[in-house]
Structures are given as structure tokens and as C-alpha cells.
Amino acid sequence: MTGGPLDGRPVRPEDLSHSMLVAVLMAHGGSLTIPVTAFEPDSTGGPDGSWHAVALEPLEDGTVRLSVRPRPPDIDGPGVRFE
């Protein structure tokens, strides 16, 4: 696949989060049943999601771990950083 969100070009945060969501859904057969409480403001990171950040960590077994973390307080706006 070329031109994907992880090919080294600048990525908009909303595009990356959308790609991660689609990847999670596809890994679960295209859908995932979750409780409606998953969409409450404190779960989603507030009305605009700004309280949370997402980490994508490659693992030694060839998989990746996608996790939610508190948004770093020193970041004013949206951003994507690959390490």
C-alpha cells in the first residue's frame, strides 16, 4: 500500500485517528460491540477529544499496541509524533 497515513509524509491528527479506528475495526472482523457509555464525554476525551492522546507502539512479535493516554499538558494543539 502506498500513500497511507504512515508513509512518512505529514499526517493530520484526524486522519491518523481515523486510520487507527478502521484498523481496530478490521482486526475485529469489521465491527466491534461496545457499551454506549464509551461515548460519554469523559470517556471520549471531552467534546473534541482533546483530553486524550493515542500511542501506537510496535511490539517485538510483529504486532502493534494501540492505547489511549492522557494528552501531554505541554502540547497546545493537535500533533502527530513518530518515535
Side-chain angles (χ1 to χ4, degrees):
M1 180 174 125
T2 60
L6 303 177
D7 66 2
R9 293 182 298 165
V11 179
R12 296 182 318 164
E14 58 271 25
D15 291 336
L16 186 57
S17 62
H18 181 259
S19 294
M20 289 179 185
L21 173 60
V22 170
V24 168
L25 292 172
M26 293 306 293
H28 287 86
S31 66
L32 184 62
T33 302
I34 58 175
V36 73
T37 56
F39 294 98
E40 292 179 356
D42 61 338
S43 296
T44 58
D48 63 357
S50 62
W51 302 339
H52 294 161
V54 176
L56 186 61
E57 175 187 2
L59 303 176
E60 290 182 11
D61 65 358
T63 61
V64 293
R65 176 178 292 127
L66 178 64
S67 57
V68 176
R69 298 187 181 172
R71 186 170 180 81
D74 60 336
I75 297 178
D76 293 331
V80 177
R81 182 175 68 207
F82 296 98
E83 295 181 8

